[in-house]
Amino acid sequence: MTPDSSILIAGAGTFGLSTSYHLAKAGYKNITVLEKSPTIPSHLSAGNDLNKILRAEYEDAFYTELALQAMREWKDNGLFAPHYHETGYLLCTSAAAPEKSKRTLAKSLSSVSSHPAFQGGEGQGGHKIICPINTRDDIRAVAPALDGPMQGWTGYLNRFAGYAHAADALRAMHAACCALGGVTFRLGDGVTALVYSNGDDAQPKGVCIGARTASGAVHTADVVVLALGAALGTVLGGPHGVGRHVAARAWSVGHVQLSEDEASRLRRIPVTYARDLGFFFEPDARTRLLKVCPAGAGYTNFVSGEEGREEETAPVSVSVPPEDSGWIPARDEAMIRRLLRETLPALADRPIVDKKLCWCADTADTDYIIDFVPGKGRVVVVSGDSGHAFKMLPVVGNWVKDVLEKGRQDIPRWRWKEGQDAGGDVSWRVGESIDIKDVKETVRG
Ligand code: FSA
């Protein structure tokens, strides 16, 4: 890699923007980002959301340390700090939660209760950063605005956590790329296929030399970075592609429109997540929308490999986002109401608005993938967010830059893997994942 190397980035979502930002910051001057959406944030990006949870505790110490790097940026870097709201994170299980949810939560708590980054009276107002929740009164003490029964909820509050205004953070990162220079954004014409050498040019036959977009345009480059999120399978979906290891998987999102009064009563509530019911955020200051998401194991949309673009031999089933994601399963709306009845009962029967499915790229082990694709030359995939990557927006692009510069991935867990099906028994999820074709009743609006 030299500062003049031509770098093509497919996708301007969380991973694509972070990658272009870190490359531009490092002095690369010839970066082109191809994005299907005519606007940034892209309507196709999972990160294009009112808010996303920011927290550093993980069951797995590897991710805790990385998330702490990211949290430092969210707190201290002027690019990200305006979009970070340190409201705290109340992570619980309800009385009805399965043992599995209680186990995962206990592991999460033990990962932070002795971790130096979570000690001391940092958090808000000199309180302890981690505060165990064993009784209803413990919840009242930390979040008095939550006035539902919440009987039997246990867990903890983490004060070194909260949420990002996700869409605003993506906007800021896009603006930062434009200000740095060296990055050209081509919007409204997404990548549909990779382009390979036929052996006539300087490259050996079969090596990737660029990408084709929906309009038919061919963009050649020294290296292609696929940052397509859940849509990875649309470009790399054939027999030599992602197969079932990376599956597009979606979770429902809904909102309740609050009045000014209602919103101000809920100002500064922590992000509240009952592992078995779902989670919600402080109402948005601008729109007064309260975002609320039901718990679940998610929804796939498997299509036959013929609908993927790299069909060569036998069709391979691959999960990709459908055209229409402006709906949610009716059972998820019921779950949203159940969560509200437990926590904020006055809102439980209100209209749920701006309903949508949010599509993630799920892997078998929930590890990210940042690696060259075997046998294709200079194609790097950055994917596998598995629903826990937005918090890494400030730092993930640096990890992609490392891989590009070294020419390999040294972190085994982020290597390209094949074999296992995505989304098996993920510790923090409840229920079973089903395909959207098997969803019986849906609701819109
Ligand atoms: O920081 C986070 O872990 C966000 S999790 C949000 C969520 O909806 C999960 O609850 C779900 O299981 C899936 O992983 C998608 O993301």
Side-chain angles (χ1 to χ4, degrees):
M1 298 281 288
T2 70
D4 295 316
S5 297
S6 53
I7 306 166
L8 208 55
I9 300 177
T14 307
F15 285 174
L17 285 174
S18 185
T19 301
S20 28
Y21 170 77
H22 280 281
L23 289 171
K25 216 169 114 196
Y28 291 95
K29 296 189 186 70
N30 192 358
I31 306 161
T32 304
V33 183
L34 304 173
E35 165 58 48
K36 182 174 176 183
S37 163
T39 53
I40 290 183
S42 163
H43 65 282
L44 299 158
S45 164
N48 185 11
D49 214 352
L50 199 55
N51 37 44
K52 293 284 188 203
I53 302 171
L54 298 187
R55 48 96 194 177
E57 74 267 39
Y58 267 90
E59 288 170 64
D60 182 339
F62 172 78
Y63 283 103
T64 301
E65 297 311 316
L66 299 175
L68 280 169
Q69 285 174 21
M71 290 301 286
R72 283 286 151 217
E73 296 291 314
W74 284 110
K75 259 181 105 83
D76 302 337
N77 183 331
L79 177 57
F80 305 106
H83 311 294
Y84 173 41
H85 301 264
E86 196 163 89
T87 53
Y89 178 43
L90 178 62
L91 183 62
C92 287
T93 50
S94 86
E99 272 312 307
K100 171 187 164 176
S101 303
K102 297 187 178 166
R103 270 199 307 274
T104 164
L105 192 137
K107 277 197 216 155
S108 191
L109 174 57
S110 79
S111 79
V112 288
S113 40
S114 56
H115 193 294
F118 298 91
Q119 305 310 310
E122 210 183 278
Q124 302 154 3
H127 296 293
K128 270 185 145 359
I129 297 175
I130 303 293
C131 170
I133 300 290
N134 297 312
T135 66
R136 181 66 186 83
D137 279 345
D138 290 343
I139 299 177
R140 216 177 324 277
V142 298
L146 306 181
D147 57 0
M150 299 176 88
Q151 281 308 331
W153 282 47
T154 55
Y156 64 92
L157 175 80
N158 171 7
R159 289 191 166 91
F160 177 26
Y163 69 92
H165 192 301
D168 281 357
L170 292 180
R171 259 180 224 113
M173 208 149 198
H174 174 228
C177 290
C178 297
L180 282 166
V183 191
T184 307
F185 286 91
R186 294 191 187 280
L187 306 181
D189 191 19
V191 168
T192 53
L194 295 173
V195 176
Y196 299 99
S197 165
N198 56 16
D200 293 347
D201 39 47
Q203 299 293 338
K205 191 168 185 295
V207 159
C208 178
I209 52 168
R212 181 174 292 111
T213 56
S215 67
V218 169
H219 300 260
T220 55
D222 295 325
V223 61
V224 178
V225 178
L226 294 178
L228 291 162
L232 180 66
T234 63
V235 171
L236 217 55
H240 308 298
V242 293
R244 299 177 73 101
H245 184 73
V246 184
R249 183 168 272 116
W251 283 267
S252 298
V253 178
H255 305 82
V256 181
Q257 179 65 65
L258 302 185
S259 68
E260 225 162 276
D261 238 31
E262 288 168 332
S264 72
R265 259 180 274 134
L266 297 183
R267 193 140 302 136
R268 304 304 290 171
I269 55 166
V271 177
T272 300
Y273 192 163
R275 278 286 188 233
D276 51 316
L277 297 175
F279 56 97
F280 57 88
F281 299 74
E282 176 186 35
D284 177 50
R286 223 163 29 219
T287 60
R288 302 192 304 269
L289 286 169
L290 177 129
K291 181 178 130 182
V292 51
C293 303
Y299 303 90
T300 51
N301 178 42
F302 277 101
V303 296
S304 100
E306 270 128 2
E307 291 171 57
R309 310 287 165 154
E310 280 212 349
E311 64 292 328
E312 280 160 36
T313 52
V316 171
S317 185
V318 62
S319 178
V320 294
E323 281 296 311
D324 173 15
S325 289
W327 56 274
I328 64 172
R331 67 175 192 174
D332 278 356
E333 181 161 316
M335 180 72 103
I336 286 174
R337 295 193 187 288
R338 215 178 121 196
L339 170 63
L340 292 174
R341 211 162 288 124
E342 280 276 322
T343 52
L344 299 167
L347 304 180
D349 296 315
R350 296 280 283 275
I352 307 297
V353 302
D354 294 349
K355 297 192 261 277
K356 64 171 183 181
L357 288 174
C358 176
W359 289 90
C360 301
D362 224 26
T363 59
D365 42 21
T366 66
D367 274 321
Y368 311 149
I369 299 174
I370 308 176
D371 200 3
F372 288 88
V373 184
K376 293 190 193 293
R378 300 193 60 78
V379 187
V380 165
V381 164
V382 47
S383 183
D385 59 89
S386 305
H388 65 94
F390 186 83
K391 65 179 77 64
M392 306 296 190
L393 174 74
V395 288
V396 56
N398 213 17
W399 308 332
V400 184
K401 183 175 87 65
D402 272 359
V403 168
L404 287 169
E405 289 176 344
K406 283 186 184 152
R408 61 174 191 277
Q409 174 56 275
D410 284 335
I411 301 169
R413 61 199 295 160
W414 287 349
R415 287 197 185 128
W416 178 266
K417 295 169 213 154
E418 277 167 42
Q420 253 181 304
D421 278 4
D425 190 21
V426 173
S427 65
W428 66 85
R429 296 181 188 153
V430 291
E432 294 232 337
S433 175
I434 61 171
D435 203 83
I436 59 169
K437 289 179 275 307
D438 300 321
V439 172
K440 301 270 177 295
E441 239 189 292
T442 63
V443 284
R444 290 180 178 274

